Amino acid sequence: MRNVVVRNIDRVDPAIIKGLSEQGTATVHEAQQRSGLMLPYMRPIYPGSRIAGSAVTALTHPGDNWMLHVIPEIAQPGDIAVIGLSSENTDGMFGDLLATSYRAQGILGLVIDAGCRDVADLTEMAFPVWSRAISAKGTVKATVGSVNLPIVCAGTQVNPGDVIVADDDGVVVVPRALAAAVYEAGRVREANETEKRKRLAAGELGLDMYDMRTPLEKAGLVYVDKPSGADE
Amino acid sequence: MRNVVVRNIDRVDPAIIKGLSEQGTATVHEAQQRSGLMLPYMRPIYPGSRIAGSAVTALTHPGDNWMLHVIPEIAQPGDIAVIGLSSENTDGMFGDLLATSYRAQGILGLVIDAGCRDVADLTEMAFPVWSRAISAKGTVKATVGSVNLPIVCAGTQVNPGDVIVADDDGVVVVPRALAAAVYEAGRVREANETEKRKRLAAGELGLDMYDMRTPLEKAGLVYVDKPSGADE
Amino acid sequence: MRNVVVRNIDRVDPAIIKGLSEQGTATVHEAQQRSGLMLPYMRPIYPGSRIAGSAVTALTHPGDNWMLHVIPEIAQPGDIAVIGLSSENTDGMFGDLLATSYRAQGILGLVIDAGCRDVADLTEMAFPVWSRAISAKGTVKATVGSVNLPIVCAGTQVNPGDVIVADDDGVVVVPRALAAAVYEAGRVREANETEKRKRLAAGELGLDMYDMRTPLEKAGLVYVDKPSGADE
Amino acid sequence: MRNVVVRNIDRVDPAIIKGLSEQGTATVHEAQQRSGLMLPYMRPIYPGSRIAGSAVTALTHPGDNWMLHVIPEIAQPGDIAVIGLSSENTDGMFGDLLATSYRAQGILGLVIDAGCRDVADLTEMAFPVWSRAISAKGTVKATVGSVNLPIVCAGTQVNPGDVIVADDDGVVVVPRALAAAVYEAGRVREANETEKRKRLAAGELGLDMYDMRTPLEKAGLVYVDKPSGADE
Amino acid sequence: MRNVVVRNIDRVDPAIIKGLSEQGTATVHEAQQRSGLMLPYMRPIYPGSRIAGSAVTALTHPGDNWMLHVIPEIAQPGDIAVIGLSSENTDGMFGDLLATSYRAQGILGLVIDAGCRDVADLTEMAFPVWSRAISAKGTVKATVGSVNLPIVCAGTQVNPGDVIVADDDGVVVVPRALAAAVYEAGRVREANETEKRKRLAAGELGLDMYDMRTPLEKAGLVYVDKPSGADE
Amino acid sequence: MRNVVVRNIDRVDPAIIKGLSEQGTATVHEAQQRSGLMLPYMRPIYPGSRIAGSAVTALTHPGDNWMLHVIPEIAQPGDIAVIGLSSENTDGMFGDLLATSYRAQGILGLVIDAGCRDVADLTEMAFPVWSRAISAKGTVKATVGSVNLPIVCAGTQVNPGDVIVADDDGVVVVPRALAAAVYEAGRVREANETEKRKRLAAGELGLDMYDMRTPLEKAGLVYVDKPSGADE
C-alpha cells in the first residue's frame, strides 16, 4: 500500500446522502441486497445518533494515529472519516482534541476499526463515533499510512466517496455509483413497511400477510398439537 | 431435529410468573441452586427492563429467520419468545416489524442467541430484547427449523413452557415443574436480604454477620500487619 | 501465592489522588508515558462515573468471591477495591449487598476482572463498578486467596496503595511512588490541551499546529490530486 | 440442579455405536438432520482419533474438578465422559492421573467444556480428549455438582446414555432413542458418497451431478463473460 | 451484491506465481510494504503446506455453501478458491467430496472465511485448506451469492485473478497488477536475508548489523547496569 | 514506563532450573500453590518442546519489535526471552532471522504476548516459541520500550531472572526467590504421583484412594439408582 494522500475525491449528491440517512442502516442494507454492512463489533460510543456522509478514508497501523491528523486538511463539510487498520488494534486513536478539529472542518463523525477515548467529552459534544473499542490508550505518530485510498474497515471494503450510513444498528457502506439506486430501492421498501406495520399491529399474522403457509408446508414444516416423545 | 411446530404447551401459573419477575434474575438463579443462567454475552438492547413469562421456543439456522414468523400464531399473551441457533450467528433476525406483530399478540419480549436490529425503534416502543449482538444484517426465509421443541439458547436448555426471567443482569430459565418451588425459595432469600442489607449499611462487617472468621482461619487465611519481602 | 491478608498499606496523599481524578484516565495514562492501562474489556456498568482512590487488592479464584468479604475490614474511606482472578471467569462476584457494605466502609468503587450483578441496583445507588462482564451467576465461598498482595488485573500489575483512576475510558493504575510526578506531568499536559483545543476549534489544522508537514514528508508521505490506477 | 449421582443409565446397542464411530461426525451430523453438533471451539488435543461411546455426564463448577473423580465408579467399558460447566472456564481439570484411572475402568475418552493438561502424556498414552482449552491450571475439590443428569456441553444438550461421536471434525451427540435410525440414515448417505466421489474424481461437475443448473437459474444466478463496471 | 458468475478472469504469469510461492507469505507481505495479509485467525488445517495460485472468488452466506459448487466449472488448473462470507460463520462448508471435485479440476487449495470438515480425509489427500474454523456442521444450498466478483476475506480485499500465497504463517493477497513488482522486491529481500542469517549465526549482534545503536539512543533508550528502585 | 535497558540481572542456580524443566508446567504450577500461569491463549508453535530458563524481559508496543533486537546483547546462554505488549497485538514480531541470532547467543526460546512468523523454519530449527498468534505480519522499529524491567505477559507478572517453564500445557513463571522451594515442593508431588498412578492403573478408584466418600457426602452429594422425573 503506497503512502499516498489523495486530495480530491468524487462525492454523491447531498440530497441522496440525506435520503439514505433518513432510511437508516437496516433499510439501506436491505435495499442494496444485504451487502456492505460492517461487522457488528462496530458500536456507537453513545446511543441515538444517525448520520450519513461521504467517506474520507485512512489506513493506519496499530498503535499509531498519525494519519488521523491528515484527514481534516482534505475533508469537506459533510464527510465522515473512516479508518482501517493494518492489523487488529484497540488503542484509543481519537479523542476530544481531534474531534474538535474534525468538527471545525465540518466532519460529521468517525468510523474507526480501533479504539476511541474521551468518550464522556465526545458524548457531551455530541460528536458520534463508531469503534471496535473504547480505550484510554494513547498512540504514537511514527509510521505513515495512506489517506483516501481504498481500505477494508471491519470486514467491509470502503472506497473514498462511498456513502457511509451509521446508526444504532451499525455501519453500512454504499458504493458511490450505486447510491442513487439504493436510495430509490429503500424508498420502495419503506413505503411497503408502513402498510405492513399497520396490518401487523392490528393483529394480522405475518404467516398470512406474507403468504408463508404454503411455502412452509412445501419446505416440510409440520404442525402438531402436542409433542410426541421422540420430539423431545 | 424434526421440522415441527407444536401448537399447545403447558404454562406456569401467572401468579408464580409475576412473583419470579419481581425477584429478578440474581435471586431466582440463586434460588434454584445457581443453575439455568444463560451465558453473559446475552445483553439487553437497552437498560432497565425486567420481564418474566412462559417460553415459546424456536430453533433457527444462521442467516435465516423464517421460524420467527411462525411464533406469533402459537404464542399467548404473557409469553416470551426464545430463539436458539443451529450454529453461532449474529445476523439481525428481529426488527420493528416483527416486534409490532409480537406485541399485537401479547408477547412480552424476545431472547435470541443471534442479532437484533432496529434497536432505536425497539427502545422507543419499549419492546425488550436480549441478544448476543446488534446488527442491521437482514436474513432469508429459506430453511425451516422448529417451534416449541426443546432448544439450547446461550448455553442453557430451554423447554417450551419454562419460565424465562430477564433483566439487566441477564436471562435465567426456570424449569416449569420447579417454578413454584423456586419462587418460594426466592422469597425466603429476599426476606433475609433486607435484614442483611440493613446491618451491612450500619457498618457491620460481613465477616461477622456471616460468621466467616473461623472458616477462613481453618481454610488457611493468615493476617499480617505488613507484607514480608517474600509475599511481594 | 500465599493466603495472606495484609492489614496496613501505604497510601498516596489525598490531594494528589483528587488531582489525578480530575485529570481522568486518558491524561493520566499519557502523563505516565502510556503505561498502566487495564485492557479495554474492563467497562463501567453505567456511564458517567469518574473516581480515583488507593487500591486495596484481592486475588480470588473462578466462581469464588470469599475474599471480597474480607476487603471491607481492611479498607479505609477513599479506597477502591481491585480484584484479580487466578484464571478467566465472568461470574457475578459482587452485588448490592456487598456494595452496601463497601459503601458503609467508605470504599468508592470496585474494579473486578470478573463479573458483577445487581447492576440496576448499583446504578440506582450510584456505586460505580468496572468489570469484564455482567452476570447474575452467583459464587461459592470455599477457597481462600489473598488480600493486599500484588495482583495482575486485566493485564496490569496492581500493588496495594497504587492509585486507581477509572472513568468511561477505562481504568489506569498509577504506581504509588510515581503518583505525585504523574500528577504534575498531567497538569502540564492539560494546560497545553486547552490552548490547542481553542486553536483547533478555530480551524487551525493539526498538521500546522504540531509542525507535522516536514516529518510526514521525510517519512515518505506523498500528496496527489487524484489516485493513479495502481493506487486503487 | 440437584447434587445427585445416578448410578444406572440405559445405553445403546454396542453394534450401533461401532457403526456410528465408523461413520464419523460429519456423516452422523448430516444423518440426524444437521443437529447435535457441539460448538467448534471443542478441539482434540492431538489429531487422528475417532471414537464413539455412551455418554456418562457430569456438571462441574469453574475451577473445581471434584465430579470428575466420581465418574470412574459409575462408568462402564466403552463409555465416554462428557463434562459440562456451570459457567465458562478453561482450567486444566483433567490430566494423566485421571486418564490412567479412566482407562483402567474402560472409559474411551473425554469431552470437556473446560481445559485439559498433561497433553504430552495423554498423547503418548493415546487417551483422546476434546476440550475448549489446554491449560496447566489445577483445580480444587470443594463444590459438588452432579453425575449422570442431563447437561449442556459446548452448546449442545447431552443426556446420559446418548451416543457421543468424536473425531478431528468435532463432537456430535446422538440421542439414545434415535441412534439406530441415525445409523441407518448414515449408511444410506455413505453409499451415495462413494459413487459421487468417483464421478467427481472423473471430472464430472457437481453442477451437473446434483442437477443444480436449473435451481441456480431460478434463484437468480446469472453468468457473464466479464464483469461490467458496476459489478466491481 | 449482484448474483453473478463471471466466467473469465485475467491471471498472472505462472512463472511469477511460482516465484511468489517459493518466497512464502512473510517475504511477500514485506515485499509489498506489509499489506494484503489476511487476519491471523485463518489457519491451515494441517501444517507444512505452501501454495500460490490465482484467486477464483465466491461470496456465500452463513450456513449456505451453494456457490462452492459453482467454482469448479469456472476454475482453471493452478487456481485457488477464496470464499468470503456475508456475515461471520463457522459452518463446515467444504469437505472431501468438494475437495475431490476441486482437485479433479486442478484447483490447488481453498481459503475460506468459514469452517471446513473432513479434515482427516483432506489431510490424507494432501488437499490444503486455510479456514477460520473446523466444524462438522453441514450447510444448505438455498441462497445464491456470486462467483468471481471482488470480495473481502478475513479482513482483506481479494479481486479475482489476484495471487494468493498461503503457508503456515497465513494467507497473503497480491494484487494482480503488482505481482511482478512484488516478486522482484521479494527477491532482493531474500538475497539480503541469506547474508544476514550467516552473520547473525556467527554471533554478530543485530544492533550492530542494522546500525541500531544511534537511533535507539536518539529515541531515548538508556542502558543501566542495575535497575533503580523506581524502575521496578 | 521508563525506556531503560538493564544489563545485569540475578539468575537462579542452573541445577534448580534444570529440575523445574523436568517437572514441567503442571507440576510446577501446583507446587507453587497454583499461581504464576500465563493465560491459556499462549500456545507452542509446534508440539513436543519443554524448556526452562531465566527470563530476560522486554516491553514492546503493538506493531513494533525494536526491543527484540536489543535482547541478544544482554542475554546469557540458558535465558528465555519474554515479551510483554503495551496493548493487545498479534503481529509477527519474531521470525527465523531473530531466531538465528537468539540461538547464536544461547537463548533457549521465546515467550511472546504477540505473534510469531516463519513457523515452518522455526520448527525445522527446533527453536521453540510460545505466542498468542501466528502471523506473517511484519513490524516497524520506531518506538522504544524497555528491556529487563518487570512486565506483565499473558496475564502474569514476570520479573527479570524469574524462571520460565514452558511446555505443551502452557507457560508458568516461578519468582526467582521461590525457585528452590518450588522445586522441592514439586519433587514431593512427583514422588506421590508415581505411586498414585500405579494404584489407579490397577483399578483402585480415586474416590477411595483420596478418601473422598465422606467429604462428598458431607458436601451433599447423593447417590440414586435411577433419575427421578424431577432430576431431568
Side-chain angles (χ1 to χ4, degrees), chain D residues 2 5 7 96 117-118, chain F residues 30 169 197 213 222 224 231:
Chain D
R2 287 132 313 282
V5 179
R7 280 204 185 87
D96 82 307
R117 61 180 181 174
D118 299 332
Chain F
E30 293 279 359
D169 289 344
R197 194 174 292 109
R213 293 190 190 274
V222 176
V224 300
D231 288 327

Side-chain angles (χ1 to χ4, degrees), chain A residues 25-26 29-30 34 37 40 43 168-170 189 193 196-197 200-207 210 212-213 215-216 219-227 230-232, chain B residues 2-10 66-67 69-70 72-74 90 96-97 100-101 104-105 117-120 133-141 144-145 149-150:
Chain A
T25 57
H29 164 69
E30 294 279 2
R34 294 186 292 116
L37 189 72
R43 298 297 305 144
D168 288 348
D169 289 343
R189 207 176 158 81
E193 291 208 345
K196 287 179 190 165
R197 195 175 290 107
L200 292 170
E204 185 171 348
L205 290 174
L207 289 178
Y210 298 110
M212 285 178 177
R213 292 188 191 275
L216 282 169
L221 194 69
V222 176
Y223 282 72
V224 299
D225 279 349
K226 279 276 180 186
D231 288 327
E232 281 195 276
Chain B
R2 285 131 313 280
N3 298 321
V4 167
V5 179
V6 176
R7 281 203 186 88
N8 304 307
I9 62 172
D10 294 321
W66 212 2
M67 290 302 102
H69 291 269
V70 177
E73 186 182 31
I74 53 86
T90 59
D96 82 308
L97 280 181
T100 300
S101 176
Q105 308 301 328
R117 62 180 181 174
D118 298 332
V119 297
I134 291 169
S135 170
K137 177 99 184 345
T139 47
V140 297
K141 293 155 198 28
V144 293
L149 292 190

Side-chain angles (χ1 to χ4, degrees), chain E residues 63-197:
Chain E
D64 194 310
N65 76 341
W66 211 2
M67 288 304 103
L68 276 75
H69 290 271
V70 177
I71 282 183
E73 186 182 32
I74 53 85
Q76 294 186 1
D79 286 349
I80 294 175
V82 185
I83 314 299
L85 267 284
S86 64
S87 67
E88 292 185 307
N89 182 244
T90 59
D91 291 351
M93 297 195 173
F94 185 88
D96 81 308
L97 280 181
L98 271 171
T100 300
S101 176
Y102 279 35
R103 173 153 287 171
Q105 309 301 328
I107 298 174
L108 298 182
L110 174 76
V111 173
I112 182 166
D113 202 354
C116 176
R117 62 181 180 173
D118 298 331
V119 297
D121 296 324
L122 297 178
T123 303
E124 203 182 313
M125 292 173 64
F127 188 90
V129 176
W130 286 256
S131 68
R132 75 182 297 152
I134 292 170
S135 171
K137 176 100 183 346
T139 47
V140 297
K141 291 156 200 26
T143 310
V144 293
S146 64
V147 172
N148 273 342
L149 292 189
I151 59 168
V152 171
C153 179
T156 305
Q157 171 82 1
V158 186
N159 291 307
D162 286 349
V163 181
I164 302 297
V165 185
D167 60 20
D168 288 348
D169 289 344
V171 183
V172 68
V173 183
V174 183
R176 188 166 52 83
L178 304 178
V182 168
Y183 171 58
E184 285 310 316
R187 284 181 62 186
V188 173
R189 208 178 156 80
E190 281 191 319
N192 288 342
E193 291 209 344
T194 307
E195 168 68 12
K196 286 179 190 164
R197 195 174 292 108

